[in-house]
Amino acid sequence: MGIEIFLQLKLRIPSHQMMQKIKNLIFMITITVCILSMQLVSQADNINVFANDPRMISMKDTIYVHVNDMEYWEPELVDAIMNATRSCTGYEIQELYLHRNSVSLSKSDAQMLQERTKYVQDWMAFHMPEIVRDGLSKEEAISAVIQYICEHYTYNHAIAYPTTKEQMSAKKNAADAWYMLTEGSGVCTAFSCMFRAMIETIPFHDGVVGWNVQNADYIKVAIIENDAHMWNAIQDENGRWLIYDLSGAVENPNSTAAFCGILGGSLYGQADTQKWHY
């Protein structure tokens, strides 16, 4: 009898220890999964938008932009940032450093562009399905975006033509879609970025809007600028570029001059004075 009890105890002790080890292992696996999930969420929330353009390289929290012609570095820098973020122009940057064949951004400016881009992306994902309904054609979707911008945002004359250092800084800060979303106004740069961000968010399938469709098509919006102005262009099915000047439309909603195939006058200049960002 005593031997039988002893044997039962001997068998139970390893079983209890084994169960405790299994519980500890399950606990460690659960903690590990939670940590990995948090890391994945954190990574998703901090997507490196600068990776969207091959000219931009991240090294130790510093963003370097490769430039082919250092004598005329600014157009290349602006083009790279516009292409990478789709909603910033690069004119917001306050601090730049020139190198032998690249331009680098300060850590604070790089973070600023990243945060503003993420803010715009989140806003578009949340609001655009309400602004542009399912089933609209491409023309109707573009019209809905134009109407929304004209009804909700104003042109900021106070910073449009700066004369002081403070006004210059304010205008630089207003050079993207983030500024319009947070301030409710902007200048031509902000309107151009806002229009592009809104239009490029809309998914199409068989020529109509479909927010839940698979393998959707998207419209690409170009930004055109010269030394005095910035506006947009969208290429139609026949390869013709249609012009959209949202800051002009807000200033004069009843004018069709803001939306025509070819814009003339001193504000838009000639073709050889324009820079296109696709």
Side-chain angles (χ1 to χ4, degrees):
M1 182 71 176
I3 295 174
E4 183 179 349
I5 293 174
F6 175 76
L7 288 174
Q8 288 178 354
L9 288 173
K10 291 287 287 182
L11 289 172
R12 287 173 185 170
I13 290 173
S15 176
H16 174 75
Q17 291 175 341
M18 182 64 68
M19 288 299 297
Q20 188 62 42
K21 288 182 179 180
I22 292 174
K23 289 180 179 179
N24 291 339
L25 180 60
I26 292 173
F27 176 77
M28 290 302 297
I29 291 174
T30 303
I31 292 296
T32 302
V33 170
C34 290
I35 292 174
L36 289 174
S37 299
M38 291 174 63
Q39 289 177 342
L40 288 173
V41 171
S42 176
Q43 291 173 4
D45 289 340
N46 294 283
I47 296 172
N48 182 13
V49 299
F50 302 119
N52 295 333
D53 191 288
R55 292 168 290 186
M56 310 185 80
I57 303 172
S58 301
M59 294 180 62
K60 295 182 178 179
D61 297 326
T62 302
I63 302 299
Y64 294 90
V65 182
H66 176 77
V67 176
N68 291 309
D69 188 352
M70 286 304 298
E71 186 176 358
Y72 304 101
W73 57 270
E74 188 174 38
E76 291 191 67
L77 172 70
V78 169
D79 188 67
I81 291 174
M82 282 192 184
N83 182 54
T85 66
R86 310 305 292 178
S87 61
C88 296
T89 60
Y91 292 123
E92 312 93 326
I93 299 171
Q94 301 289 334
E95 192 175 0
L96 290 167
Y97 305 93
L98 303 183
H99 308 282
R100 179 178 298 179
N101 60 352
S102 66
V103 180
S104 63
L105 285 60
S106 68
K107 182 178 179 180
S108 59
D109 278 328
Q111 183 176 355
M112 175 264 293
L113 292 177
Q114 186 91 332
E115 290 174 351
R116 291 190 179 192
T117 303
K118 179 67 166 53
Y119 183 95
V120 173
Q121 290 175 344
D122 290 344
W123 190 96
M124 296 297 161
F126 185 80
H127 291 282
M128 283 301 293
E130 300 175 359
I131 298 170
V132 179
R133 304 186 312 277
D134 273 326
L136 293 183
S137 67
K138 291 184 178 180
E139 292 75 14
E140 291 171 332
I142 293 172
S143 296
V145 169
I146 294 170
Q147 180 179 353
Y148 183 86
I149 292 177
C150 289
E151 291 178 352
H152 290 81
Y153 302 99
T154 59
Y155 192 87
N156 194 328
H157 290 276
I159 59 174
Y161 304 100
T163 57
T164 66
K165 185 177 180 180
E166 290 74 18
Q167 290 173 339
M168 284 290 295
S169 179
K171 185 175 182 179
K172 288 174 70 71
N173 191 47
D176 55 30
W178 172 87
Y179 185 88
M180 279 189 60
L181 291 175
T182 57
E183 298 296 326
S185 67
V187 291
C188 61
T189 48
F191 279 96
S192 298
C193 290
M194 182 71 172
F195 181 71
R196 171 194 256 184
M198 292 181 75
I199 294 296
E200 292 191 344
T201 301
I202 307 169
F204 293 92
H205 183 70
D206 291 336
V208 298
V209 177
W211 288 101
N212 298 313
V213 301
Q214 298 293 325
N215 302 318
D217 297 320
Y218 294 87
I219 297 175
K220 298 293 285 185
V221 181
I223 288 180
I224 315 169
E225 66 168 329
N226 56 26
D227 293 336
H229 193 43
M230 185 177 287
W231 62 100
N232 298 100
I234 297 176
Q235 197 170 28
D236 66 10
E237 290 78 5
N238 299 317
R240 180 182 56 170
W241 286 99
L242 302 179
I243 301 301
Y244 300 88
D245 185 350
L246 270 296
S247 59
V250 167
E251 287 288 87
N252 190 359
N254 296 321
S255 174
T256 58
F259 308 105
C260 58
I262 300 175
L263 293 175
S266 59
L267 184 61
Y268 303 99
Q270 302 301 316
D272 58 356
T273 67
Q274 300 170 358
K275 306 179 188 71
W276 285 63
H277 307 280
Y278 298 97

